[in-house]
Amino acid sequence: MADATEIATCSCCGDVLPGPATAGELCPACQRAMESPESSASPEPGLAERPSYPVTHTLVAINVLVFIVVRVLIATGHSGVIDALANFGPDTLRWQWWRLLTSCFVHRETAHLLGNVLFLWILGRRLEQLWGKRVFLLVYLACGIAGSVASLAVHPELMSYGASAGVFGLAGALISAYGLKGLKLSTRARWKLALLVAWTAYDVYPEAGSVKTDNIAHAAGLLLGLLLGGLLSSAFIAAHARRGRWLAAGTALALVMGCAFVRYHSRYVVLFASASQKLYAGKTDEALRDLDVVLQQKPQSEMANLMSAEAYLKKHDYSKAEAAARRVLASDGDDDRAIFLLGTAEIMTGRCQEARRMAWNKLMQHRLRSDGLSGTLFLSQAPCTDGDLEKELRKQ
């Protein structure tokens, strides 16, 4: 009598395996489901769970909630709320490192917020499904902080905020995960990947004359996302969980070293806070000594020159105030604060018509705009006698 042959069944769904097979193997259907890039979870027969994206939803909610709170506070007279959360060299480098993270959740304009949360929603859900909650959150935060650090390194005197660096990091990670790994994609998925690459390349490309777009932060977030996406999708990292932990530790160490380098490289910026406090406390000479140290290291620093012009105006040294304001206008002829300080110095030295002419030229160039022109508008209507001007300046 022949021995009874054991029937081999699929270890996932329990179906009988076709042909010669051993118990514990997967059937062809389950193998295709496991290998498909459209799902990272093991299939369960008869169970069609709706995927959840708790981290993506939470990140979107935080961005929206912070935006609402900021708008309410601004409307109630607390206009400095963004300054308290944004990434700004004189504050961040003075050991307020938490700004590197909080700035990633701050938005001033509605369009800026909607654009970021839309792509966070689209890209985040896909990556959270692909990598899981913890890895996805770490990648997003790392890319956002990397953008903040890069922004400090390149232009520490400018204030930056927004979720764009983190969103670009997600785009880079998704491009690497599906492109560099060579996953088998459907035609539709290839088109989606091509559109993502095109959108990323277009948006990260520097815009001529753009002063509001922090392309350095975008590029840094994108590059780190590309790197992390490629590494996390590699067989080397996927083979051992310990390697993934080493990757997370290495990323954190790199960000810390980046912060240390930026603080050393841009240490002159730390003096701004000290000079500002002394200037507004009436210690003008002490403030100017700090600003002289800054200008020796960075002669074209716009912040230092603007603050110096203001300090020299307080000392009634109008020639030095004018020289400092002109240094700013030599690099940025559209700076409203520099025009205001230069015009004030001109009026105080009897050149009222020159100041008014400069102000009117600026107003005519920006007649369709209503923001950032308060100082220039004041100059255009300023009285031409020293005593009257000083009275008006006290109201500013």
Side-chain angles (χ1 to χ4, degrees):
M1 179 181 293
D3 295 333
T5 303
E6 182 180 358
I7 299 176
T9 59
C10 174
S11 61
C12 178
C13 63
D15 290 345
V16 177
L17 296 174
T22 59
E25 292 185 355
L26 297 176
C27 67
C30 289
Q31 287 181 352
R32 287 194 299 270
M34 291 288 289
E35 296 172 356
S36 172
E38 295 301 320
S39 175
S40 59
S42 298
E44 297 184 19
L47 181 63
E49 292 185 358
R50 186 175 182 178
S52 62
Y53 314 98
V55 176
T56 302
H57 295 169
T58 301
L59 290 173
V60 170
I62 292 174
N63 278 280
V64 174
L65 180 61
V66 170
F67 176 76
I68 294 173
V69 172
V70 166
R71 293 297 292 267
V72 170
L73 289 174
I74 291 177
T76 55
H78 299 81
S79 57
V81 60
I82 290 183
D83 296 350
L85 298 173
N87 183 29
F88 184 48
D91 292 324
T92 305
L93 296 179
R94 203 164 47 111
W95 308 112
Q96 296 183 15
W97 296 111
W98 42 267
R99 290 173 175 269
L100 296 175
L101 179 61
T102 58
S103 62
C104 297
F105 295 93
V106 177
H107 300 83
R108 185 188 294 271
E109 295 87 7
T110 305
H112 188 200
L113 170 75
L114 293 179
N116 281 337
V117 298
L118 172 62
F119 283 99
L120 171 58
W121 176 271
I122 296 172
L123 301 175
R125 294 196 306 166
R126 188 66 198 97
L127 283 172
E128 186 173 355
Q129 183 184 24
L130 186 65
W131 287 336
K133 297 177 291 186
R134 184 178 302 176
V135 174
F136 162 67
L137 179 61
L138 291 176
V139 169
Y140 177 77
L141 295 180
C143 292
I145 294 173
S148 297
V149 174
S151 183
L152 279 182
V154 177
H155 39 67
E157 300 181 26
L158 299 181
M159 187 174 293
S160 63
Y161 47 84
S164 302
V167 172
F168 272 97
L170 298 183
L174 196 58
I175 290 171
S176 290
Y178 282 90
L180 298 181
K181 190 179 177 183
L183 296 176
K184 297 179 180 179
L185 302 175
S186 64
T187 302
R188 183 180 179 183
R190 291 193 186 99
W191 274 108
K192 288 182 178 179
L193 180 60
L195 288 174
L196 178 60
V197 172
W199 170 80
T200 305
Y202 174 78
D203 270 21
V204 83
Y205 187 80
E207 300 176 29
S210 174
V211 295
K212 293 186 177 181
T213 305
D214 193 352
N215 288 300
I216 296 299
H218 294 177
L222 174 64
L223 290 175
L224 183 59
L226 287 168
L227 176 62
L228 292 178
L231 290 173
L232 289 168
S233 300
S234 67
F236 177 79
I237 297 295
H240 300 283
R242 180 177 298 178
R243 292 173 181 172
R245 290 193 290 269
W246 277 108
L247 176 61
T251 303
L253 179 61
L255 291 175
V256 171
M257 292 177 64
C259 292
F261 170 78
V262 170
R263 193 178 193 282
Y264 174 79
H265 182 265
S266 303
R267 58 189 180 278
Y268 72 93
V269 179
V270 180
L271 284 173
F272 282 134
S274 173
S276 178
Q277 291 173 357
K278 293 174 181 177
L279 180 61
Y280 295 112
K283 302 176 182 178
T284 307
D285 291 329
E286 295 182 25
L288 282 170
R289 280 196 291 271
D290 287 343
L291 292 171
D292 286 340
V293 174
V294 173
L295 289 171
Q296 287 175 7
Q297 301 179 35
K298 204 80 171 177
Q300 300 305 318
S301 168
E302 290 191 12
M303 276 188 71
N305 279 299
L306 285 172
M307 207 174 294
S308 295
E310 189 172 346
Y312 283 124
L313 282 176
K314 288 178 179 288
K315 289 175 61 67
H316 305 290
D317 192 340
Y318 303 123
S319 61
K320 290 185 178 180
E322 181 177 341
R326 288 192 183 279
R327 283 195 293 270
V328 176
L329 292 173
S331 58
D332 182 7
D334 208 39
D335 192 291
D336 184 60
R337 185 65 180 167
I339 290 175
F340 171 71
L341 294 171
L342 174 58
T344 303
E346 289 178 337
I347 291 176
M348 288 301 202
T349 53
R351 293 173 289 162
C352 182
Q353 296 305 319
E354 293 181 26
R356 284 189 168 183
R357 188 181 305 113
M358 176 178 60
W360 276 111
N361 287 339
K362 172 74 180 293
L363 289 172
M364 290 299 98
Q365 292 172 6
H366 296 264
R367 59 186 179 276
L368 297 181
R369 287 176 45 187
S370 59
D371 59 316
L373 295 174
S374 57
T376 304
L377 183 60
F378 166 77
L379 273 184
S380 68
Q381 302 170 348
C384 288
T385 60
D386 291 0
D388 291 341
L389 179 62
E390 288 182 1
K391 293 178 183 178
E392 292 295 327
L393 284 173
R394 292 193 190 101
K395 300 177 183 179
Q396 294 298 304

